[in-house]
Amino acid sequence: MARKKIPVAPDGDTTSASRRDFIKQSSLLTAIALAPGSVIKAAEERWDEKFAGIFEKLPLHLEVNGVKHTLSVEPRVTLLDLLREELQLTGTKKGCDRGQCGACTVHVDGKRVNSCLSLAITNEGKKITTIEGLADGDKLHPMQEAFIKHDGFQCGYCTSGQIMSGVACIKEGHAGSPEEIREFMSGNICRCGAYTNIVKAISEVKQGGMS
Amino acid sequence: MNQFEYIRTTDSKAAIKAMTKTGEAQFLAGGTNLVDLMKMRIVVPDRLIDINPLPLRDIEKTLTGLRIGALASNSEVAEHPLVKKNYPLLSLAINAGASAQLRNMATTGGNMMQRTRCPYFFDVTLPCNKRSPGSGCSALEGYNRMHAIFGASTACIAVNPSDMSVGMATLDAVVHVSGPKGDRSMKFTDFHRLPGNEPQKDNNLLPGELIIAVDLPASRYPQNVAYVKVRDRNSYAFALISVAAALDIRDGIIHTASLGMGGVAHKPWRLTAAEAFLAGKKPVDENFRKAAAISMEGAKAYVLNKFKLTMAPNAIRAALQQAAAKA
């Protein structure tokens, strides 16, 4: 039997809207109904780039792992949910969803960020790299090889974030010593406690001259 | 997360205008605090104004100092060659906060706007005057281990969580803002405020005002600086106590000292009495002990944060020792 996909709110939020939200949204809807079209409104207000009323989607252009996408997203959708739910790139994990664990780490224009705290719509025109984009075909990235060699994981849930963060840590020039690696990798929490081996893996890739 | 109107603009005047229309609006920069608060339904804006396209990212020399655009990221500031060379205290303070990922996202202005980490501010089922004015302060007789020892009120004993702001305040930075009624500037130390009877106000921005830039004055402390942050784990945790110390030592005498503390008040806490005491003194431990003791005058602790009355002077002393030892 085919699995039916369960619809979820864009941020995975299952809590029901409060009365306050309902009142806010109803009055806003009224306001929008009375207003001229969004485009005219945006022009009048000199919102020269983008405007979306509630319930509207906006176009979004992203390059993800070298592939260009033209998408249509609600402004409240995070980059993490877009990657996982729309683009089916589930290698990027949702841990805390609050910027505290680092499992959702991806690169945006080469810089590591927590995709759970980035609204997708704010990434217009940017280049995203996820764990799926790290390997060169069947050839693993040196950091992926090193994590396997040094057993840098147990359950694996934090691993894609750790690897993305580790690659960036070296690029940033902050992998000069085990102490520096620990400090600059502190945004990636490993509940299994594989830290010692993660530091070894990153050190080895650094010494191997990965730029 | 609630649904909201989304506006993106390249024009700061348009951004400010959008902020002043009816309904609750928020500027969105890095989003590291705001998006989190929206997920928790602590902030439920009708409208988000995405200011990321505004041309406020530059870090540039001024006649005497350095201008940091409000949208310059925390990592761009901390790693900037001129900041590292002339304002190393700011680099240390920024890198003591958050994680590498968050510092890549978070902006200078956004860092200044971050809300407190008081657990009752985050718990929407309990009273909090900052989140819901007039509802009461749960921390006063609650779990107040992380809370203020200076400048608190019976309405609020929360602390400002920013490390960057402690560095900026200690370096005598100046904040430039733009608003519906024009542009104005204020000392960084006047940007954040004490809670008083209006703890819902973290700062002295007027409605619709947008942070444009932060100016650092001519560098006085390129060398003898330290940022000591005491926390529950070695990295990626908010401060129990943090101390920014900067000394201008000439011929074995402290010419001027600048000291700031984090984790102790609703705003970055300058230690002006200790600074005055240290000027003209030798950089020796006896004077550091006295400076630390002077700094604690007027401190008031609550049930669970009494340890801060000991930890704070120890951290001040340690920061002064570290700053003095840098050759």
Side-chain angles (χ1 to χ4, degrees):
Chain A
M1 194 177 78
R3 267 183 73 193
K4 193 179 167 193
K5 200 175 169 190
I6 302 162
V8 291
D11 60 351
D13 188 349
T14 51
T15 56
S16 60
S18 70
R19 185 169 166 274
R20 186 164 73 115
D21 292 341
F22 175 73
I23 291 166
K24 264 188 175 177
Q25 288 171 6
S26 336
S27 56
L28 249 180
L29 275 176
T30 312
I32 281 173
L34 294 171
S38 302
V39 178
I40 299 164
K41 193 173 166 187
E44 281 175 351
E45 302 290 343
R46 293 197 295 144
W47 297 331
D48 42 16
E49 290 287 325
K50 292 283 180 268
F51 171 90
I54 57 172
F55 301 128
E56 281 186 60
K57 287 187 175 184
L58 281 175
L60 171 65
H61 305 86
L62 280 184
E63 186 178 319
V64 183
N65 300 331
V67 180
K68 286 184 176 156
H69 295 271
T70 299
L71 303 152
S72 177
V73 300
E74 261 191 77
R76 62 175 174 160
V77 173
T78 62
L79 180 59
L80 172 62
D81 286 331
L82 183 86
L83 291 170
R84 290 181 54 87
E85 307 291 332
E86 295 282 327
L87 302 179
Q88 312 301 323
L89 293 169
T90 52
T92 305
K93 301 302 182 201
K94 182 184 278 195
C96 67
D97 206 25
R98 294 193 57 199
Q100 296 181 353
C101 77
C104 68
T105 303
V106 301
H107 297 176
V108 175
D109 286 345
K111 290 186 174 158
R112 51 174 159 166
V113 302
N114 297 117
S115 61
C116 72
L117 289 183
S118 177
L119 294 179
I121 195 70
T122 63
N123 292 283
E124 170 65 28
K126 293 192 172 161
K127 291 182 179 175
I128 317 291
T129 307
T130 70
I131 190 73
E132 290 92 342
L134 218 50
D136 180 10
D138 288 339
K139 191 177 182 311
L140 291 180
H141 185 280
M143 191 64 78
Q144 293 172 307
E145 294 277 14
F147 265 65
I148 294 167
K149 178 181 166 188
H150 290 283
D151 206 10
F153 51 89
Q154 286 180 45
C155 83
Y157 200 80
C158 73
T159 309
S160 53
Q162 298 278 2
I163 289 173
M164 297 310 288
S165 201
V167 169
C169 187
I170 293 175
K171 266 191 194 156
E172 291 162 8
H174 286 304
S177 66
E179 292 72 28
E180 192 180 22
I181 291 170
R182 278 194 281 272
E183 173 60 38
F184 283 84
M185 287 294 291
S186 68
N188 292 82
I189 309 294
C190 171
R191 194 221 172 281
C192 303
Y195 295 114
T196 309
N197 294 351
I198 292 169
V199 171
K200 278 184 196 164
I202 296 171
S203 297
E204 181 176 277
V205 177
K206 168 74 164 69
Q207 281 153 20
M210 193 203 89
S211 60
Chain B
M1 203 185 298
N2 69 302
Q3 288 172 307
F4 49 83
E5 284 184 296
Y6 173 82
I7 293 155
R8 185 195 297 156
T9 178
T10 53
D11 179 67
S12 54
K13 292 258 183 322
I16 291 161
K17 194 177 173 195
M19 192 71 173
T20 53
K21 298 188 84 67
T22 52
E24 188 191 338
Q26 294 277 344
F27 292 125
L28 174 69
T32 55
N33 193 209
L34 179 59
V35 173
D36 185 24
L37 292 170
M38 286 172 66
K39 287 183 181 188
M40 304 285 287
R41 292 179 185 264
I42 294 159
V43 178
V44 187
D46 300 307
R47 186 182 314 116
L48 277 196
I49 303 150
D50 182 356
I51 57 168
N52 284 293
L54 299 185
L56 301 174
R57 280 189 193 278
D58 290 344
I59 301 170
E60 54 194 357
K61 273 186 175 174
T62 57
L63 277 179
T64 54
L66 196 68
R67 171 158 297 181
I68 298 168
L71 289 171
S73 75
N74 286 178
S75 55
E76 282 163 354
V77 177
E79 302 292 334
H80 195 281
L82 287 175
V83 175
K84 286 167 94 167
K85 179 167 175 268
N86 297 327
Y87 308 95
L89 180 64
L90 183 59
S91 286
L92 292 173
I94 290 173
N95 279 335
S99 68
Q101 289 96 315
L102 291 171
R103 292 192 296 268
N104 277 341
M105 305 170 79
T107 64
T108 302
N111 190 312
M112 293 162 63
M113 296 299 291
Q114 69 178 304
R115 310 302 308 271
T116 185
R117 293 285 162 171
C118 174
Y120 300 105
F121 179 70
F122 280 84
D123 188 341
V124 295
T125 65
L126 290 172
C128 168
N129 284 325
K130 187 179 278 297
R131 175 172 32 77
S132 179
S135 62
C137 174
S138 301
L140 266 180
E141 296 185 7
Y143 188 69
N144 49 31
R145 181 171 171 271
M146 300 292 288
H147 290 70
I149 53 172
F150 289 110
S153 70
T154 51
C156 181
I157 60 170
V159 298
N160 183 294
S162 170
D163 290 294
M164 182 201 81
S165 292
V166 176
M168 291 285 199
T170 305
L171 292 171
D172 293 313
V174 171
V175 184
H176 300 291
V177 304
S178 186
K181 291 176 183 168
D183 301 342
R184 65 185 183 114
S185 304
M186 67 189 100
K187 289 180 184 173
F188 199 97
T189 47
D190 292 334
F191 180 83
H192 297 98
R193 61 186 292 282
L194 292 177
N197 290 323
E198 292 183 301
Q200 68 273 23
K201 292 183 184 171
D202 291 348
N203 56 58
N204 290 311
L205 283 179
L206 299 171
E209 280 187 326
L210 174 69
I211 303 166
I212 298 296
V214 178
D215 276 1
L216 290 169
S219 166
R220 287 194 291 161
Y221 304 110
Q223 187 177 327
N224 292 106
V225 298
Y227 193 77
V228 168
K229 185 176 179 183
V230 189
R231 43 190 158 172
D232 286 327
R233 60 183 179 198
N234 246 353
S235 181
Y236 200 18
F238 291 100
L240 294 165
I241 298 282
S242 69
V243 178
L247 299 172
D248 178 2
I249 301 171
R250 301 181 190 180
D251 302 323
I253 299 290
I254 298 169
H255 183 66
T256 57
S258 285
L259 293 168
M261 238 193 314
V264 295
H266 198 257
K267 60 184 285 188
W269 196 248
R270 274 291 288 269
L271 309 179
T272 48
E275 291 171 8
F277 167 79
L278 286 170
K281 302 278 193 320
K282 285 185 178 171
V284 294
D285 195 42
E286 186 193 343
N287 287 329
F288 298 159
R289 277 175 187 274
K290 284 182 186 163
I294 291 168
S295 301
M296 298 308 292
E297 284 170 17
K300 179 187 187 301
Y302 300 86
V303 174
L304 293 173
N305 71 349
K306 289 194 166 57
F307 69 93
K308 288 193 178 185
L309 299 179
T310 310
M311 184 182 279
N314 286 344
I316 293 167
R317 192 178 148 215
L320 285 166
Q321 287 171 341
Q322 284 183 27
K326 288 199 180 155

